[in-house]
Structure formats: structure tokens, C-alpha cells
Amino acid sequence: MAIASWIRTFPLVQYLIAWAQEIFMSVLKTGPVPQHVAFVMDGNRRFARRRKLEVREGHSAGFESLAHILEMCYQVGIKVVTVYAFSIENFKRPTVEVDALMEIARTKLLQIIHHGDLADRFGISIRVLGQRSMIPADVLAAIDKSTEMTKDNTTAILNICFPYTSRDDIATSMREVVTLSEKHELEPETIDERMLEQHMYTKDCPPLDILVRTSGVERLSDFMLWQSHQDCTVEFVDCLWPEFEPWRFGSILLKWSHNKAIEFRKTEMERDQKEL
Amino acid sequence: MGAKRTKSHSSLITRVKDFLVVNLVPLGTSPAYKPTNLFQLAIFHIYHTVLIFLHILLSIYYLFSRQYYIAKNNFLAFLYHHHRTPQLIAQDIKGLAKTPQHVGIILKYKENEEGGGVEGLMEQVADVASWSVGSCVKTLTVYERSGKLNKMHEATYKVINRTLKSYYGETIPTVKLRTPHDKTVYPEGMTAEPVVVDLNISFISHDDGRGFLVELTREFAYKAAKGEFEPSKVTVDNVDRLANQLVITEPDLVVLFGPKLDLDGFPPWQVRLSEIYYAPHNDSVTYNVFLRGIRRFSKCKINIGR
């Protein structure tokens, strides 16, 4: 809608929108708030194709959208945000695109740790999850630098899954546990779900509360399979990632908070009944 | 004297404050936002009122949207009724680009409702089996969290055959049941010769999800502790092969017959690329939901990574 985006260029409107967003986040904070949210950032290439842009610019627009969403998440007090930046299967894409993605990753990682940018404002500790051996050296350097510089931040955590597939995660965790058994550092009888979880890439993170996938695809595509298969709200959103507006995410949060409040109400009533 | 009075005065205020904060702050409030003094408490309650108001608005919206979806489901159920004729089912899937080979369904055990209990589950399985045969689905995986049907092969087989007879008359398609967890197959004679059946049905439960992966890790760990197993052999491909052999292969489509998207513990490893379909606010196992799932599958584009 051309008129809406024209009105949005007025400075006062921007300020009002930002203020309204903050108020909404404060309102949400007085109720249940998820602790761990995951995003599958799908639809950048389709976005670029629709607007007749280059694929690289689609990915850039995707990053802008990510920055907005991260801001919202940390404003509302979500502790851990996990984003699916790159899949191990994505290496099959044309080299030009893979190189462009690596370049974006490198520059943006170094950008968000600057003084005053995202990592500083919200006290984010950045972690990159995935198979390190598949990343080229310069991106690896940027990753190490950003992880190193933010490791003392304790307020929130940003997990960037790069490159990651859930099956690889589970298999790596299993392999580590088996290696520890081989060295007799743990007893095979003690192996249970918790132990496997403690060896996955998301080891210190609270259980996943919401998983959001954009672009209308209704699959999990090898992301967070272990974490999302029970007690997790999976939301499939029918718009492309660069068009994933803050109000959509706000409505998802409101819905989740409503459902959780109903659950708490039920447990309260059951507890009161038991006391009777 | 003055100091003691102010001390008891301030402790009263702190006690009132603590009382208010503990009792008036609802369960589930984000701990970062718990108010610590009276002013924050007032602001908190203003915001909380707004939140409750928004929740009420949401409930009203759900009231209407629920009615809409239930009406839509009923209408589609009426429009796409199978009438127990396989020809209608074949007609419904005729124009589709592709149909799934392996479909998974998630059923909920309902204890005290009409059409519930174990017999209800068997009826549901029989219905879905008939539709699957009609839509050229080769493998059906039935997931029920507690695994009530895992040991009831004989009774389920009878119910399935009875339902198939009502669809196909005397020459019914052949069905084979198995429960991977107990390694049982029904009818037993089938394991001897590799007979090609029309439909393979597997019954899985919550233990076949994470529990299977834990079991596998434990097996590997025992062998490794004895020195008979190389940990580097635990690769994605090996685990995949074992998961496919010992539990189920990957379903192309998973149909949920519940009101919301809740995977309820369906095996995580196998659901990697499965299209997940559910009809909002739907509560029963009906043909139109199954058909819509197949239609959704036929429209989706799968590019693994590219």
C-alpha cells in the first residue's frame, strides 16, 4: 500500500510507532512471556524475485527484518532467540549466492557487536551453532571475534544456526555421549533425554516455546526437530521473511500469552481443588 | 523512641508492599518485570489491565473464528463425503500433480467421549486406512501418544477388514500391520514370504520418538564401553538408516486431526521434511481433512536446501 508507506516516512509517525511498540511490549511483559523463540527466515529469495531485485538484496532485506524482530524480542524480555541462518543443505545452492550469504554473515556479525548496536543495547551474547568445519576461514574469524566480544553479556542470548541441520545436531550429541562412554567417563545406564540435550548445540538454553516459520511453507525442514516435537507452539506464517511485520509477531506473542494464561489458570484451579 | 516507631511503621509498609506484590501479581508474569515498589506496582496493574482487555478481545475473536472454522469443516465434510465408494476417492485425487506415498496421522485417545476409547481409535484407523488405499498411499503410520493400539493387532485387523468390505465389497485390498517397538507383525504368516500388500500400517507411540534415539545411544554406548564400537560411526546417515529400519521411514505428509498444531511427541528424526497439515478447530477424523492434507501435499514444492 503506497499511501501507508508514504505516511510511514513522516518522522513523527516513526516515533509514534516505536512508542506504541514499547508500550505494547510492556503490556505483554505483565503476562507470561516465552523464554526461547526460534525463527526460520524463509522467503528472502522469493522476495527479491517479486521485487525484481538481486538475491543478495533479498538477503539484506531479510537481515533488516531480523534486526527489527530481535529488537522486539529483547524488549519483551525473551531470553533466547534462535535463528536459522544457513542450513548444511544450503551449500548446494549456486556458489555466487553462497558467497554472498557468507559475506553478509561476516559483515553483519561484525556490525552488531559495535558499541551501541544490538548486542550492546540488549546485552546479547552471540553464539553460532553448527558445524564449524564447513565455514570458510574469514567468516570463522568474524564469528570467533563476535562470540569472544559478547561472551560476558548475560541478559540475553542470540543463537545463530550457521550451518545447521537438526539431524546433524542430534547425531553430534549422540556421538559425543558415545565417545564419553568409550572413555568410561560416563555410565551407559545414565543416558537419558536430558543428557542428550546437554550435548546438543542448544545446551544451556531453556526449552523451545515458539517456532515461527515464514513464507507459508508448512514443514520443519530439519530445524529444531528435537526441541519442537512436543510442548512447543509451531506457527506457520503466510508471508515472506522480509515482510514479517512486527505486528504479526506481536499477535503471535499475544496469542501465546493468552494460551499460557489459560493454562496457568487451569493449574491454579486444579491446585485449589486439590487443596479443598 | 522515635526510631523504633519509624521502624515498625516502615516494616508495616514493607509488609503491605510484599503482601500486595506477592498476592496481586498473577502467576506467569515474566520475572524481569516483577514490580518492586508501590509505584511500579501501580504501573504494573495499569498495563496488566490493558493485557487482560487484549486477552478478552482475543477470546471474542476466537469465538467468531472458531464458529467460522467449525462451519467450514462441516460444510467441507458434507461436500467431500466419501460415501464409502472408492471411485469417489479416486475422483477426488485424479487431478493432483503428486500424491504422498507415506502418510502419518496423529490420533488422540479420548477416554470418555462418544466414539472414544480403544474401539474408537480402531474405527478411526480403519477409516483412514480405507481412504489411504483409495488414494494410492502405500504406507500409513499411526501415531498415538500412549500406544494403546500397539498390542491390539488382531482386533484392529478385524475392524479394518470390516470397514474395507463396506468400501470394496468382497475383494478387499490386503493390509499388513506392524508395531516397530515390539517387533510384531500381523498377520504373522506375512513375515515368511515377501508378500506385496496394498497398505502397510505401522503403529508408533511416544517411546518411538526421543525414546528411540536415547535407546540407540545407550546401545552404542554399551558397545563402545566394551571397545566394540567406534564412536565416529555415529553419523547422520547411519542413524537415519537405523531409524528407517527400526521405526518408520520419513512420512511425506503428517495429518493432525486435532484443533491445533501439536506434534505431541511424534518421532522428531523422521518428520524432517514432512508436510504438516491440520484443520484449525477440527476435532474429528474426517475424510475431508485427509483429502485437504493430500491436496496441500500435491501443491508444495520441495527443494532440499537449493
Side-chain angles (χ1 to χ4, degrees):
Chain A
M1 294 217 297
I3 293 194
S5 40
W6 175 69
I7 290 184
R8 233 181 276 193
T9 59
F10 291 175
L12 189 61
V13 172
Q14 294 278 26
Y15 181 74
L16 281 176
I17 293 181
W19 178 78
Q21 190 173 306
E22 266 192 55
I23 298 283
F24 183 63
M25 291 299 134
S26 306
V27 164
L28 277 181
K29 271 206 265 197
T30 66
V33 161
Q35 285 198 301
H36 184 174
V37 179
F39 292 102
V40 181
M41 310 189 289
D42 203 4
N44 294 334
R45 291 185 298 171
R46 255 169 287 176
F47 177 77
R49 228 175 293 147
R50 262 186 224 173
R51 307 251 172 134
K52 312 273 197 304
L53 302 169
E54 278 192 39
V55 170
R56 192 172 7 125
E57 292 176 30
H59 287 298
S60 277
F63 180 80
E64 292 304 317
S65 175
L66 176 65
H68 286 310
I69 298 291
L70 283 182
E71 206 180 302
M72 279 186 74
C73 287
Y74 295 123
Q75 264 178 349
V76 88
I78 297 178
K79 277 235 73 173
V80 183
V81 177
T82 307
V83 292
Y84 199 9
F86 197 81
S87 162
I88 294 182
E89 313 277 348
N90 286 143
F91 278 114
K92 295 186 201 151
R93 289 193 181 173
T95 333
V96 169
E97 199 184 325
V98 174
D99 288 339
L101 281 168
M102 293 291 168
E103 188 56 33
I104 292 181
R106 200 174 58 83
T107 42
K108 299 300 181 187
L109 268 178
L110 293 174
Q111 182 187 327
I112 53 177
I113 56 173
H114 277 165
H115 194 61
D117 211 320
L118 270 181
D120 218 16
R121 272 169 64 192
F122 298 111
I124 310 175
S125 147
I126 298 181
R127 299 182 190 176
V128 175
L129 314 179
Q131 277 285 13
R132 280 174 64 97
S133 50
M134 296 180 150
I135 312 177
D138 51 349
V139 186
L140 207 53
I143 290 175
D144 285 335
K145 180 163 179 213
S146 53
T147 324
E148 200 41 49
M149 285 191 63
T150 52
K151 73 172 174 0
D152 297 317
N153 296 346
T154 49
T155 321
I157 299 176
L158 173 64
N159 289 326
I160 306 180
C161 289
F162 188 99
Y164 173 95
T165 43
S166 190
R167 286 186 165 188
D168 179 63
D169 192 7
I170 300 176
T172 310
S173 157
M174 286 168 72
R175 203 179 315 141
E176 275 182 27
V177 172
V178 173
T179 316
L180 286 176
S181 307
E182 198 199 22
K183 298 194 201 141
H184 298 284
E185 284 171 29
L186 67 87
E187 295 295 316
E189 291 91 41
T190 57
I191 297 178
D192 60 350
E193 282 182 29
R194 271 253 54 134
M195 179 166 298
L196 278 183
E197 274 172 7
Q198 277 160 6
H199 286 269
M200 292 191 177
Y201 295 133
T202 50
K203 46 169 101 55
D204 324 302
C205 301
L208 191 61
D209 287 313
I210 310 181
L211 188 145
V212 178
R213 178 164 188 158
T214 52
S215 85
V217 173
E218 308 223 342
R219 290 194 285 276
L220 290 177
S221 288
D222 228 341
F223 182 62
M224 298 278 139
L225 295 174
W226 178 278
Q227 291 86 339
S228 65
H229 90 314
Q230 62 185 25
D231 293 331
C232 166
T233 311
V234 180
E235 292 272 348
F236 292 126
V237 181
D238 203 6
C239 73
L240 302 174
W241 176 255
E243 296 166 354
F244 186 54
E245 309 269 315
W247 65 264
R248 278 192 201 260
F249 184 53
S251 67
I252 292 178
L253 282 176
L254 185 65
K255 206 160 74 159
W256 190 90
S257 127
H258 178 69
N259 286 336
K260 259 296 181 282
I262 295 181
E263 259 182 57
F264 280 134
R265 200 80 188 84
K266 269 202 208 134
T267 43
E268 255 186 1
M269 292 203 305
E270 282 169 13
R271 194 182 57 188
D272 291 338
Q273 269 196 347
K274 277 208 197 105
E275 280 173 19
L276 285 176
Chain B
M1 194 54 195
K4 238 208 292 196
R5 237 186 36 211
T6 45
K7 206 173 93 176
S8 67
H9 182 63
S10 68
S11 81
L12 176 67
I13 289 196
T14 3
R15 270 188 298 156
V16 167
K17 240 180 4 188
D18 288 336
F19 170 78
L20 283 179
V21 169
V22 165
N23 285 14
L24 286 188
V25 173
L27 199 65
T29 303
S30 157
Y33 210 59
K34 282 221 157 61
T36 46
N37 58 38
L38 279 177
F39 176 67
Q40 279 189 5
L41 192 66
I43 300 274
F44 177 89
H45 277 287
I46 297 177
Y47 283 152
H48 196 67
T49 317
V50 178
L51 183 69
I52 293 182
F53 177 65
L54 288 175
H55 279 179
I56 293 178
L57 281 184
L58 202 63
S59 302
I60 297 178
Y61 166 74
Y62 276 153
L63 202 70
F64 288 117
S65 93
R66 188 162 177 266
Q67 290 306 107
Y68 165 73
Y69 278 114
I70 290 181
K72 179 175 165 190
N73 282 337
N74 286 343
F75 175 67
L76 287 174
F78 168 71
L79 201 60
Y80 289 110
H81 199 263
H82 48 82
H83 295 292
R84 300 188 181 266
T85 35
Q87 287 78 12
L88 272 182
I89 302 180
Q91 184 83 1
D92 284 330
I93 63 161
K94 201 162 68 164
L96 299 179
K98 54 182 174 154
T99 52
Q101 290 290 308
H102 181 174
V103 173
I105 61 171
I106 301 185
L107 297 178
K108 284 253 172 17
Y109 173 67
K110 293 181 191 154
E111 189 132 352
N112 292 322
E113 287 177 32
E114 186 196 308
V118 187
E119 296 80 26
L121 281 179
M122 291 191 208
E123 294 282 341
Q124 290 171 346
V125 173
D127 282 330
V128 180
S130 320
W131 306 329
S132 309
V133 176
S135 0
C136 312
V137 172
K138 291 273 169 284
T139 322
L140 175 67
T141 298
V142 177
Y143 174 86
E144 195 274 308
R145 191 182 175 102
S146 48
K148 291 256 179 324
L149 289 177
N150 282 10
K151 301 198 193 299
M152 316 220 63
H153 283 189
E154 201 174 326
T156 317
Y157 192 73
K158 281 206 198 93
V159 177
I160 294 179
N161 275 353
R162 194 179 64 208
T163 314
L164 282 175
K165 277 210 184 80
S166 70
Y167 276 72
Y168 288 90
E170 279 313 310
T171 46
I172 55 172
T174 46
V175 163
K176 184 165 97 170
L177 310 176
R178 66 184 266 260
T179 300
H181 193 252
D182 304 327
K183 298 197 187 14
T184 52
V185 181
Y186 192 92
E188 274 108 33
M190 295 248 185
T191 45
E193 339 91 54
V195 176
V196 176
V197 289
D198 290 304
L199 182 67
N200 278 301
I201 306 184
S202 306
F203 293 98
I204 53 175
S205 64
H206 184 237
D207 294 326
D208 293 301
R210 290 184 182 186
F212 167 73
L213 293 168
V214 173
E215 269 303 314
L216 201 61
T217 317
R218 226 179 268 160
E219 288 275 327
F220 287 154
Y222 276 127
K223 286 213 201 116
K226 284 192 262 181
E228 295 165 10
F229 185 76
E230 252 310 302
S232 61
K233 282 209 227 143
V234 181
T235 58
V236 173
D237 293 319
N238 282 346
V239 179
D240 195 27
R241 198 168 32 91
L242 286 166
N244 287 351
Q245 261 177 353
L246 298 173
V247 187
I248 51 167
T249 53
E250 290 176 34
D252 296 317
L253 168 69
V254 174
V255 183
L256 301 163
F257 288 105
K260 57 187 183 129
L261 214 176
D262 182 12
L263 283 173
D264 202 22
F266 195 92
W269 185 272
Q270 284 88 342
V271 87
R272 145 177 100 126
L273 291 176
S274 319
E275 192 76 11
I276 303 175
Y277 183 77
Y278 77 109
H281 298 287
N282 168 56
D283 216 5
S284 46
V285 179
T286 48
Y287 172 64
N288 77 87
V289 176
F290 186 75
L291 180 65
R292 275 147 70 188
I294 294 189
R295 286 215 172 137
R296 163 69 61 75
F297 175 78
S298 73
K299 281 191 272 189
C300 73
K301 262 179 27 165
I302 305 186
N303 22 350
I304 309 184
R306 301 208 87 263

